[in-house]
Amino acid sequence: MIIVPEREIADLMTREAAFDAVEQVFAAMASRDAYNFPVVREAIGHTDALYGFKGGFDRAGMTLGLKAGGYWPNNLDRHGIINHQSTVFLFDPDTGKASAMVGGNLLTALRTAAASSVSIKHLARPDAKVIGMIGAGHQATFQLRAALEQRAFEKVIGWNYHPEMLPNIEKVAAEAGLPFEAVSLEGMRAADVIISITSAFAPSLMADHVAPGTHLACMGTDTKGKQETEAALLTRATVFTDEIAQSISIGEAQHAIADGTLTAEQITEIGAVINGTHPGRASDQEITLFDGTGVGLQDLAVASAVVKLAVDKGIAIEVDF
Amino acid sequence: MIIVPEREIADLMTREAAFDAVEQVFAAMASRDAYNFPVVREAIGHTDALYGFKGGFDRAGMTLGLKAGGYWPNNLDRHGIINHQSTVFLFDPDTGKASAMVGGNLLTALRTAAASSVSIKHLARPDAKVIGMIGAGHQATFQLRAALEQRAFEKVIGWNYHPEMLPNIEKVAAEAGLPFEAVSLEGMRAADVIISITSAFAPSLMADHVAPGTHLACMGTDTKGKQETEAALLTRATVFTDEIAQSISIGEAQHAIADGTLTAEQITEIGAVINGTHPGRASDQEITLFDGTGVGLQDLAVASAVVKLAVDKGIAIEVDF
């Protein structure tokens, strides 16, 4: 039994390893070598916590297990720890024995960032120069840092409902030596790639805020009722996702599905593009939209990668369990 | 983070501690202080394994978490380990941080045995003398050993589809200094308490095999399609269960529910009897039937108990997670 505590993850895990793990598992999902189990998500009626399990099995990567945890909204105030708390548990698919326990907090941030990066690699125009950020919270910094590695971006633009948070992403741009400009939502027409990463329940980004040829990664909507972009954008765009079942029920596509302007059959798994069974972007004028909903298999994939790194570097805790 | 490996459970956990933990959590379920989450159960398409999660939260006991694992039918042949493999993970309900990992194999056997014992304590006639066993496999020995502590039994009788397995339970009777007799199913009319613990998909015990005044604990049926007793027995008996939702869908009651001879409203949670909000057995002639389906909260309750014992005895493994 291998244990990798949360505190070790930052030094062990790289964006590259997270990217590779997430790209591989999206490919395995599309080829039906990997699937996610039904998600359990419960408001437990104690300290307003949301708790649950996201599990899955990847036969290609031989990864089985779950991420357990959730959202404890009073953690920071009451206990000085972050509100999102999760742990990944891996099992040996050959025997059912627990094989690893891995801190899941930073991994969740990295796998979410990796997902939009995978979509940029496979769907953004090769000559993309300007990246736009909708949202400037903690997770936005992860998304931007990972995205900047996928194209030769020359400028970062950003919008946030609370503009005073924009320095968060300006700092990431500066780290990469890129200029940053705060823009209005209309200003997003200058972007070749847009990442939205908010917790909004009403759309910010309207269809006419997005120029032809843009690739848009909608990463914030993971719950019924949340929405970052106008539903009309999804009918104008070619829509891709990590998992269609989640996209249409809790993802950004839920609203266009509900109003009948989009059907599940019009949505393509990003894994199909990775596998080459879908051509991906068809023209420089096409708007591509990736609906990133977040699946348990992503968590298992990055946890499995970090376990290998921890063992290789000799810092895994081994317990005779 | 506390770790209690499987190998430590046998020396740590007692039948008494398992009984108390299960009785308390059944009570908490009936008073709505505790509830089970939706069960995830997946045939993963690898080595014929069934894998899943049973989670729950007990606000009274402040126990949150899940049992993960399942059934690997080739384990014994291929790896020399038991086919049922499970691990219990506990979380701090105040913060969402993982707090304990506990081997779940022996605990599962003990909590299942405790459940029928709790039903015997609260529903069998006080003067019960003869206990009958339907089933004589490994788990039957746990059920019988625990049951013998609940009444001043004077004799054990048993039936099994494969009679050559009956020595398993004869041995438990002998340990307790009690005579054992192999009987036909008709011979079960001599029993005051009957425990059925088989994996049958067709009923063995018919309504006329059960005498008035008997308490019957049906412990084997935990899946759609399984059945140990004739459905007519459930309409003749007063039916109790651990959880009504499971009783009517995957428990022994599923068949009487399906043929319309029993309604969910006629089934009582055993916790209501423990709490005194239901009187339990009404007469010496009444047949009481406990439909034990097995819930995640039982696993969490016994795991939580064993963590306390392990800490008290100084044999818990502590990991700075």
Side-chain angles (χ1 to χ4, degrees):
Chain A
M1 176 85 196
I2 301 290
I3 298 177
V4 187
E6 185 66 42
R7 66 179 177 278
E8 303 287 2
I9 307 291
D11 286 343
L12 277 174
M13 195 61 180
T14 63
R15 283 193 294 282
E16 293 70 25
F19 184 97
D20 291 345
V22 169
E23 187 180 46
Q24 280 169 28
V25 83
F26 282 168
M29 284 165 61
S31 61
R32 305 294 174 255
D33 284 320
Y35 78 109
N36 295 286
F37 304 157
V39 173
V40 174
R41 197 159 187 251
E42 297 284 323
I44 63 169
H46 179 71
T47 68
D48 298 323
L50 282 175
Y51 176 76
F53 322 128
K54 282 186 164 186
F57 176 49
D58 175 3
R59 193 182 298 113
M62 279 295 273
T63 310
L64 173 71
L66 75 151
K67 179 167 79 170
Y71 186 67
W72 263 252
N74 307 304
N75 265 4
L76 194 60
D77 289 348
R78 293 188 193 161
H79 307 285
I81 59 175
I82 65 171
N83 294 346
H84 282 102
Q85 289 289 337
S86 66
T87 309
V88 181
F89 303 100
L90 300 177
F91 287 73
D92 181 344
D94 287 334
T95 64
K97 286 173 79 94
S99 59
M101 174 168 66
V102 183
N105 299 347
L106 178 56
L107 286 183
T108 299
L110 290 170
R111 65 82 154 157
T112 304
S116 53
S117 284
V118 167
S119 83
I120 292 167
K121 171 181 172 184
H122 291 281
L123 294 171
R125 293 199 325 276
D127 63 346
K129 294 281 179 283
V130 178
I131 183 165
M133 298 295 300
I134 309 281
H138 185 64
Q139 185 62 34
T141 65
F142 284 88
Q143 305 298 135
L144 179 56
R145 213 171 263 124
L148 291 178
E149 292 165 346
Q150 296 305 319
R151 290 292 184 271
F153 289 111
E154 296 174 356
K155 184 178 183 181
V156 179
I157 63 177
W159 176 91
N160 196 53
Y161 185 78
H162 301 283
E164 66 274 17
M165 294 177 72
L166 287 171
N168 284 337
I169 52 175
E170 181 169 12
K171 200 177 141 216
V172 175
E175 281 169 19
L178 296 181
F180 174 81
E181 185 186 343
V183 297
S184 65
L185 285 161
E186 290 76 13
M188 280 291 155
R189 285 188 61 87
D192 305 305
V193 169
I194 300 173
I195 299 175
S196 62
I197 180 75
T198 68
S199 305
F201 283 83
S204 304
L205 196 71
M206 298 300 161
D208 64 6
H209 296 158
V210 178
T214 301
H215 172 64
L216 175 60
C218 301
M219 304 304 297
T221 297
D222 60 357
T223 302
K224 209 168 177 66
K226 282 191 181 173
Q227 185 172 11
E228 301 193 287
T229 65
E230 188 182 12
L233 196 49
L234 282 96
T235 54
R236 188 175 302 179
T238 307
V239 181
F240 300 83
T241 188
D242 42 17
E243 186 183 86
I244 291 170
Q246 287 205 152
S247 174
I248 64 175
S249 56
I250 59 167
E252 196 60 32
Q254 63 180 289
H255 308 285
I257 292 285
D259 70 18
T261 54
L262 185 73
T263 67
E265 292 69 31
Q266 291 173 293
I267 306 175
T268 301
E269 285 173 284
I270 185 81
V273 183
I274 300 168
N275 288 334
T277 58
H278 184 285
R281 168 175 292 278
S283 82
D284 281 354
Q285 296 302 301
E286 186 178 20
I287 297 174
T288 52
L289 186 151
F290 174 67
D291 184 4
T293 65
V295 296
L297 281 171
Q298 284 171 262
D299 299 298
L300 304 188
V302 292
S304 178
V306 91
V307 165
K308 287 188 186 79
L309 290 166
V311 170
D312 287 350
K313 299 197 172 181
I315 62 165
I317 300 171
E318 275 211 66
V319 173
D320 181 16
F321 182 66
Chain B
M1 176 84 196
I2 301 290
I3 297 176
V4 187
E6 185 67 42
R7 65 180 177 276
E8 303 287 2
I9 307 292
D11 285 343
L12 278 173
M13 195 63 181
T14 62
R15 283 193 295 280
E16 294 69 25
F19 183 98
D20 291 346
V22 169
E23 186 180 47
Q24 280 169 30
V25 83
F26 282 167
M29 284 165 61
S31 62
R32 304 295 173 256
D33 285 319
Y35 78 109
N36 294 286
F37 304 157
V39 172
V40 174
R41 196 158 189 251
E42 297 284 324
I44 62 169
H46 179 71
T47 67
D48 298 323
L50 282 175
Y51 175 76
F53 322 129
K54 281 186 164 185
F57 176 50
D58 175 4
R59 194 184 296 111
M62 280 295 273
T63 310
L64 173 69
L66 74 150
K67 178 167 80 170
Y71 185 67
W72 263 254
N74 306 304
N75 265 3
L76 194 60
D77 288 347
R78 292 187 193 162
H79 307 285
I81 59 175
I82 65 171
N83 293 346
H84 282 101
Q85 289 289 336
S86 66
T87 309
V88 181
F89 303 101
L90 300 177
F91 287 73
D92 180 344
D94 288 334
T95 65
K97 286 172 78 95
S99 60
M101 173 168 66
V102 183
N105 299 347
L106 178 57
L107 287 183
T108 299
L110 290 170
R111 65 83 153 155
T112 304
S116 53
S117 284
V118 167
S119 84
I120 292 166
K121 172 180 171 184
H122 291 282
L123 293 172
R125 293 198 326 273
D127 63 346
K129 294 280 180 285
V130 177
I131 182 164
M133 298 296 299
I134 309 280
H138 185 64
Q139 185 62 35
T141 65
F142 285 88
Q143 305 298 136
L144 179 57
R145 213 171 263 123
L148 291 178
E149 292 165 346
Q150 295 306 318
R151 291 292 184 270
F153 290 110
E154 296 174 357
K155 185 177 181 181
V156 179
I157 63 178
W159 176 90
N160 196 53
Y161 185 78
H162 300 284
E164 66 273 19
M165 294 176 72
L166 287 171
N168 284 337
I169 51 174
E170 181 168 13
K171 200 176 141 214
V172 175
E175 281 170 19
L178 296 182
F180 174 81
E181 185 185 345
V183 297
S184 65
L185 286 161
E186 291 75 13
M188 281 290 154
R189 286 188 61 89
D192 304 305
V193 169
I194 299 173
I195 299 175
S196 61
I197 181 75
T198 68
S199 305
F201 282 83
S204 304
L205 196 70
M206 299 298 161
D208 64 5
H209 297 157
V210 178
T214 300
H215 172 64
L216 175 59
C218 301
M219 304 305 296
T221 297
D222 59 357
T223 303
K224 209 165 177 66
K226 282 190 182 175
Q227 185 171 11
E228 301 193 288
T229 65
E230 188 181 14
L233 197 49
L234 282 95
T235 53
R236 187 176 302 180
T238 307
V239 181
F240 300 83
T241 188
D242 42 19
E243 186 182 85
I244 291 169
Q246 289 204 149
S247 174
I248 64 175
S249 57
I250 59 167
E252 196 61 33
Q254 64 180 288
H255 308 286
I257 292 286
D259 70 18
T261 54
L262 185 73
T263 67
E265 291 69 31
Q266 291 174 293
I267 305 175
T268 302
E269 286 173 284
I270 186 81
V273 183
I274 299 167
N275 287 334
T277 58
H278 184 286
R281 168 175 291 278
S283 81
D284 282 354
Q285 296 301 302
E286 187 178 19
I287 296 173
T288 52
L289 185 152
F290 174 67
D291 184 4
T293 65
V295 296
L297 281 171
Q298 284 172 261
D299 298 298
L300 304 186
V302 291
S304 178
V306 91
V307 165
K308 288 188 186 77
L309 290 167
V311 170
D312 287 350
K313 298 197 172 180
I315 62 164
I317 301 172
E318 275 211 68
V319 173
D320 181 15
F321 182 65

